[in-house]
Amino acid sequence: MRIDVVSIFPEYLAPLELSLIGKARQDGLLELNVHDLRTFTTDKHRTVDDTPYGGGAGMVMKAEPWAQALESVAAAREGSRPVLIVPSPAGEKFNQALAYELAEEEQLVFACGRYEGIDERVIDWAQEHFTVRPVSLGDYVLNGGEVAVLAMVEAIGRLLPGVVGNPESLVEESHSDGLLEYPVYTKPSAWREHDVPPILLSGNHGKIAQWRRHEQFRRTAERRPDLMEGFDAGVLSRADRQALADLGYDVVDGRLKARPGGDIEN
Ligand code: JEB
């Protein structure tokens, strides 16, 4: 996969040199280029912003430097249609399903805006060259797209073949089965008056698997009740159903449903 990132703060993307993603680049699994938007300006002051039409606070990023930058990164891979990801508080929410989808692409281009965002005509124009996806990291306000790109590149990069050493660790983890992860522990078994749950020391792998699954249900019901409704209940054991009943969930038409009058209040 090839990834191009365009930003007025290319140093902000320096962490992509490190750790898993840095290793993937060294191993040739990922080609990542960061471009300084200002190198695509032509005026003496290397201007990238101007005042908004219609008035209002703040500045807006000018269209032409963006068009120059995006044409340059699109030309680098002729013949294919790269995906242009535009981080924006007004985008579709980034999630694991989108990470998997984007991990299949040949080329991703990330356009990091700043100020009040990028002149909307860039988004319209870019559809001629790219599949354009405005994407939000979540419902909170950042100052620009760079932090969102760090998160998305890490989430996508670790799904590329060969990047994560043990692919089995991708299977078990959070959100691949729609539930939160079970809690994990390591040595010592007794620590500052807090013991590891004894079942984990029992050596009974059937019981341990069941306990972990029930911890996933318990945590998800407590912290993310939105993930419980609609969970595919088609694969539940009797023990699973009992644990879920204790948490206030019944199975209705193959889906979980919070029992009216149960503990769960969404
Ligand atoms: C992404 C950005 C800004 C209104 C307020 C602030 C470019 N989850 C997210 N929150 N905020 C952003 C984001 C993502 N992804 C985000 C790009 C830009 C915020 N701003 C500041 C723009 N409009 C500028």
Side-chain angles (χ1 to χ4, degrees), residues 94-101 155 158-159 170 173-176:
F94 186 73
N95 62 17
Q96 193 65 21
L98 183 52
Y100 275 110
E101 194 182 316
R158 64 193 295 284
L159 299 179
L170 293 177
E173 68 196 11
S174 203
H175 299 290
S176 58

Side-chain angles (χ1 to χ4, degrees), residues 8-84:
I8 59 168
F9 296 125
E11 332 81 81
Y12 225 117
L13 288 306
L16 296 177
E17 307 279 343
L18 305 173
S19 189
L20 202 71
I21 299 303
K23 178 79 175 11
R25 293 172 74 181
Q26 282 177 8
D27 296 348
L29 304 169
L30 174 65
E31 184 188 339
L32 192 145
N33 308 285
V34 181
H35 312 270
D36 184 347
L37 180 70
R38 286 193 202 277
T39 65
F40 297 94
T41 59
T42 52
D43 66 312
K44 172 161 140 261
H45 298 290
R46 307 214 292 171
T47 311
V48 295
D49 63 326
D50 207 334
T51 54
Y53 278 118
M59 300 292 271
V60 173
M61 296 190 101
K62 293 169 70 62
E64 189 56 22
W66 275 110
Q68 293 297 332
L70 296 176
E71 273 175 343
S72 142
V73 298
R77 270 284 168 92
E78 247 183 292
S80 67
R81 216 182 143 71
V83 176
L84 176 64

Side-chain angles (χ1 to χ4, degrees), residues 93-151:
K93 195 97 66 73
F94 186 73
N95 62 17
Q96 193 65 21
L98 183 52
Y100 275 110
E101 194 182 316
L102 295 173
E104 299 291 318
E105 297 290 335
E106 222 176 288
Q107 186 186 7
L108 302 178
V109 178
F110 290 89
C112 299
R114 280 269 151 182
Y115 317 114
E116 301 305 305
I118 303 170
D119 187 316
E120 190 66 22
R121 292 171 295 180
V122 174
I123 314 305
D124 304 335
W125 163 84
Q127 327 227 5
E128 295 171 23
H129 305 267
F130 300 86
T131 300
V132 182
R133 306 283 295 256
V135 176
S136 167
L137 199 58
D139 294 339
Y140 39 81
V141 181
L142 303 172
N143 276 332
E146 286 80 3
V147 164
V149 169
L150 287 175

